[in-house]
Amino acid sequence: MELILDTADAAAVRELSDCFAVSGVTTNPTIITRSGKTPEEVARQMIKVLHPHQKFFMQVIATDTQGILADAHAIKALQVADGPEMCVKIPVTPEGYKAMKTLSTEKMTVLATAIYSADQGFMAALNGVQYLAPYVNRMDNYGDGVREVSDLLSMLAKAGLTTKVCAASFKNVRQIHELIKEGIDAVT
Ligand code: E4P
């Protein structure tokens, strides 16, 4: 299982990586804005503290397919030889789904994000992304987030899809604990 940190704080990543087996870092536009740093600054700092066996996921900002593709290529272009693998997060909007289909033919790790239901995640998996990020706590706000993610895991297994589920948006350790028991691939 992959343990991923959802943060723009490179010092925290360095500290926690010394203690735990950290597989990588995710960020999103809100986390970056709250950090008071620019996306470029965050990328520079994360690339410095992460290693080649780790992944760094950055989210596209554009909302139209062409813009999303341009953002994805710009994120991938930040890749350096001795740095982490640069990966791209794309929200599951209609324009995002189109971009995922296009990028599935390129050598790029894509994570479909802002997933609020098992079905939304399943459709992104069919479009060829490598990771799915269902928002557990936000789903818990109106239902059972853990159950929905558990359904997604079963649907992928039944369909023979190897897409990894990186559960996100946690507000307590119980949610993480329950999903590890369900065999989750990654948590952030
Ligand atoms: C996932 O990658 C997101 O950054 C994050 O987990 C969203 O969580 P929130 O519900 O706390 O915004």
Side-chain angles (χ1 to χ4, degrees), residues 9 12 18 27-28 48 55 86 101 115-116 125 179:
D9 183 347
D18 285 344
T27 57
N28 65 34
K48 254 193 213 153
K55 292 184 168 67
M86 296 301 299
K101 272 188 86 175
I115 293 171
Y116 282 76
L179 282 172

Side-chain angles (χ1 to χ4, degrees), residues 5-185:
L5 305 175
D6 202 24
T7 182
D9 183 347
V13 170
R14 197 198 299 266
E15 195 181 324
L16 286 165
S17 294
D18 285 344
C19 290
F20 302 113
V22 173
S23 299
V25 170
T26 48
T27 57
N28 65 34
T30 309
I31 292 173
I32 291 180
T33 304
R34 284 193 190 136
S35 76
K37 291 176 264 188
T38 65
E40 292 74 18
E41 281 170 330
V42 172
R44 225 182 3 258
Q45 294 173 1
M46 287 299 176
I47 288 167
K48 254 193 213 153
V49 298
L50 290 169
H51 301 282
H53 68 277
Q54 294 171 308
K55 292 184 168 67
F56 179 41
F57 297 83
M58 288 196 85
Q59 188 164 330
V60 298
I61 304 289
T63 52
D64 63 297
T65 304
Q66 284 318 311
I68 292 172
L69 293 173
D71 283 357
H73 290 131
I75 291 167
K76 191 64 195 168
L78 296 172
Q79 182 82 53
V80 294
D82 56 348
E85 180 190 348
M86 296 301 299
C87 308
V88 177
K89 289 176 66 180
I90 302 178
V92 289
T93 59
E95 295 291 299
Y97 279 116
K98 288 184 210 165
M100 290 171 206
K101 272 188 86 175
T102 303
L103 292 172
S104 69
T105 61
E106 297 180 26
K107 208 173 174 301
M108 195 181 298
T109 299
V110 175
L111 176 149
T113 192
I115 293 171
Y116 282 76
S117 76
D119 295 332
Q120 275 185 328
F122 189 77
M123 298 312 279
L126 289 179
N127 277 11
V129 302
Q130 287 71 36
Y131 285 86
L132 305 171
Y135 279 13
V136 179
N137 194 72
R138 297 198 199 184
M139 291 192 285
D140 260 351
N141 284 336
Y142 62 84
D144 185 340
V146 169
R147 166 96 186 268
E148 196 71 19
V149 177
S150 173
D151 279 357
L152 176 58
L153 288 171
S154 307
M155 288 160 73
L156 294 171
K158 286 265 161 58
L161 293 166
T162 55
T163 322
K164 291 184 178 181
V165 179
C166 174
S169 174
F170 291 107
K171 289 294 171 282
N172 61 64
V173 177
R174 183 196 56 80
Q175 294 163 327
I176 298 174
H177 178 96
E178 293 300 327
L179 282 172
I180 293 173
K181 285 202 299 183
E182 292 295 320
I184 197 76
D185 303 292

